[in-house]
Amino acid sequence: MARTKTKSPKNAQTGLPDVSVSDDGDVRHLHLGTPWIQGSMRIDAPFELELEYIQRMMAWLLFFDPDTVAERHAMQLGLGAGAITKFCHKKLRMCATAIELNPQVLAVCRAWFKLPPDGPMLRVVLADAGQEICKPEWRGTVDALAVDLYDDNAAAPVLDSAEFYADCRDLLTEEGCMTVNLFGRSASYAQSLEKMAAAFGEDALWAFKPTREGNAIVLAQRTPSRFKRGELAARCDSVRLRWGLPTAKWVRGFKPVVAV
């Protein structure tokens, strides 16, 4: 995902951006009315994670016993190309829920990005994420929450208040983690960190350095913890061996946020 100053066409009925698909060799991209990429999938490996920043949004795996992952619940706010929901459902064997505002995004994900139909272990809810997560039935049920809520202009998160992050915290189990995609080279990055710290506490935040595209992934724990010496490297290796995620760079690149 990248920022753009180009205005995208809106659907006359919904007021939401039109969704389109493009193929670049063996990689398929999803767009919201502009050439800018909002999600990607390798056509011959539709349940793997293609984009680096999406891979990093799985850093919550470092904090869980791998043998319990399949028993847990993952939720994605903002479906994109469905990569996180598909990975959690197919590769991690988790119960997976996604909340998406734009029905076109869901239709395109089902038609072009191999998103499975709803069933006992997967559900897509068409709703405003900020409103949906306030419903009592979701509170305390989510172990891994992925937040990637950008509109077609991708200039700043659509939902980015201390109140929103407090609602996200309320979704989580005691061990639960939230990962958020932010633009690390954006002026709003530090402000977003402050809002997350207000909701979760300063000692609950971890972050990666930005990718080349400028995406900085921040992780917030419901219950803050720290790794013992050598433990992060061991857990990164375990995640790589078990699920094939490229975690070698995470050992040096994923650190607690010292001060907000």
Side-chain angles (χ1 to χ4, degrees):
M1 185 186 301
R3 281 179 259 174
T4 175
K5 296 181 180 179
T6 305
K7 292 185 178 180
S8 62
K10 306 287 185 179
N11 184 282
Q13 292 182 330
T14 66
L16 297 169
D18 283 322
V19 182
S20 61
V21 174
S22 67
D23 287 352
D24 181 11
D26 59 355
V27 177
R28 179 164 294 159
H29 304 300
L30 181 142
H31 312 269
L32 294 179
T34 75
W36 300 97
I37 294 168
Q38 299 283 345
S40 299
M41 177 191 76
R42 190 162 295 276
I43 296 170
D44 61 358
F47 301 109
E48 302 295 337
L49 300 179
E50 176 66 16
L51 298 178
E52 184 179 20
Y53 90 89
I54 294 290
Q55 295 167 356
R56 292 180 177 186
M57 290 190 76
M58 307 306 294
W60 59 268
L61 285 166
L62 300 172
F63 296 93
F64 288 92
D65 177 348
D67 290 333
T68 70
V69 166
E71 304 166 8
R72 298 181 182 273
H73 178 206
M75 178 178 282
Q76 180 177 4
L77 306 186
L79 183 60
I84 291 173
T85 295
K86 291 188 300 180
F87 187 84
C88 290
H89 175 62
K90 284 286 192 178
K91 305 291 286 189
L92 303 183
R93 303 297 181 184
M94 298 174 71
C95 176
T97 303
I99 301 175
E100 171 57 45
L101 181 63
N102 191 336
Q104 274 196 50
V105 170
L106 175 57
V108 168
C109 282
R110 290 257 158 84
W112 295 97
F113 289 89
K114 302 292 185 181
L115 180 68
D118 282 5
M121 297 294 287
L122 185 146
R123 176 165 57 157
V124 179
V125 180
L126 285 171
D128 181 290
Q131 297 175 14
E132 182 66 25
I133 65 173
C134 292
K135 293 182 177 179
E137 59 262 34
W138 296 121
R139 291 178 184 170
T141 69
V142 179
D143 297 290
L145 177 66
V147 182
D148 194 8
L149 292 168
Y150 284 82
D151 63 12
D152 46 305
N153 290 317
V158 173
L159 297 174
D160 185 46
S161 67
E163 293 77 14
F164 167 70
Y165 292 124
D167 290 337
C168 288
R169 186 179 186 275
D170 287 343
L171 290 175
L172 298 178
T173 61
E174 287 302 313
E175 292 181 275
C177 298
M178 173 185 74
T179 50
V180 183
N181 174 34
L182 298 174
F183 280 119
R185 297 180 184 134
S186 166
S188 67
Y189 175 75
Q191 297 171 7
S192 296
L193 282 183
E194 290 179 2
K195 294 167 187 174
M196 279 186 245
F200 282 83
E202 293 184 7
D203 59 345
L205 303 186
W206 299 70
F208 287 95
K209 293 180 180 179
T211 64
R212 287 184 302 171
E213 296 78 18
N215 299 89
I217 302 307
V218 178
L219 181 144
Q221 296 178 277
R222 168 89 190 210
T223 304
S225 65
R226 291 291 182 266
F227 296 117
K228 298 176 182 178
R229 183 182 295 273
E231 187 179 6
L232 175 59
R235 294 200 180 198
C236 285
D237 198 47
S238 175
V239 169
R240 178 184 62 81
L241 290 172
R242 189 155 187 156
W243 292 297
L245 291 172
T247 59
K249 295 181 181 178
W250 294 11
V251 179
R252 294 182 178 273
F254 181 61
K255 296 180 179 180
V257 176
V258 177
V260 179

